[in-house]
Amino acid sequence: FLFVIAATACAYIFAPTLDGSLKPEHYYFIALCIFLYQTLDGTDGKQARRTKSGSALGEIMDHGFDALSATLIPLAASNAL
């Protein structure tokens, strides 16, 4: 989830009006953060089930962070439009 926060912060700090004025390296950073978030989000549940360390609270928190990320990722990516 921190990768999503970093991507959104990068978009708003360097282009607060979302006018598409980011430098290419900022877009690469945002893309990398979103890729890492999705990769790690997909593997954490599998790892928890494999090690039998999953819990109902962990599953609820994962869904909650996914819901927040579903809002923040389009905000970060909208700067490219």
Side-chain angles (χ1 to χ4, degrees):
F1 182 70
L2 292 177
F3 289 116
V4 175
I5 298 294
T8 306
C10 178
Y12 280 107
I13 288 171
F14 294 107
T17 59
L18 295 179
D19 58 356
S21 62
L22 288 175
K23 295 180 182 177
E25 54 268 17
H26 295 132
Y27 289 117
Y28 292 132
F29 176 74
I30 291 169
L32 177 67
C33 285
I34 292 172
F35 173 77
L36 288 173
Y37 162 73
Q38 290 177 341
T39 302
L40 294 174
D41 183 50
T43 58
D44 66 348
K46 189 173 184 176
Q47 176 68 14
R49 285 188 295 276
R50 188 173 69 176
T51 60
K52 296 186 183 359
S53 60
S55 68
L57 177 61
E59 194 171 331
I60 290 172
M61 287 183 62
D62 185 53
H63 289 305
F65 286 132
D66 288 345
L68 288 172
S69 296
T71 303
L72 294 176
I73 288 173
L75 288 175
S78 67
N79 201 353
L81 301 176

